[in-house]
Amino acid sequence: NYIDNPTPMIMTEEDHANFEKASVCHICGMLGDEYGNGCYGDEKVRDHCHITGKYRGAAHNSCNLKAKMNP
């Protein structure tokens, strides 16, 4: 069951570099403004597919939680 046992995140060196310099949430598209003071006041987190493990991009924590799969 993919919901109960998500695949661990897979990140390339390029993914790591892109996450570090990301300033826009890939889910809502709003500027992070250093993320700690972003549109939701959230920290920057790494979003990934829980089925494939593929890294998708930097996101606000609340955007990432809202985008989760519904079993």
Side-chain angles (χ1 to χ4, degrees):
N1 184 331
Y2 293 114
I3 303 298
D4 293 332
N5 301 301
T7 302
M9 187 178 340
I10 301 166
M11 289 185 74
T12 65
E13 289 298 320
E14 182 179 6
D15 292 336
H16 283 287
N18 288 337
F19 175 77
E20 290 302 320
K21 64 183 177 183
S23 61
V24 174
C25 173
H26 90 96
I27 296 171
C28 74
M30 294 185 76
L31 292 175
D33 188 26
E34 298 182 10
Y35 276 87
N37 301 308
C39 65
Y40 295 101
D42 281 353
E43 64 181 310
K44 177 169 67 169
V45 297
R46 293 164 179 85
D47 178 37
H48 76 288
C49 174
H50 286 211
I51 296 172
T52 65
K54 183 175 176 4
Y55 169 75
R56 292 190 281 221
H60 294 110
N61 186 49
S62 61
C63 291
N64 190 35
L65 292 174
K66 289 177 190 173
K68 71 181 182 177
M69 292 191 305
N70 184 349

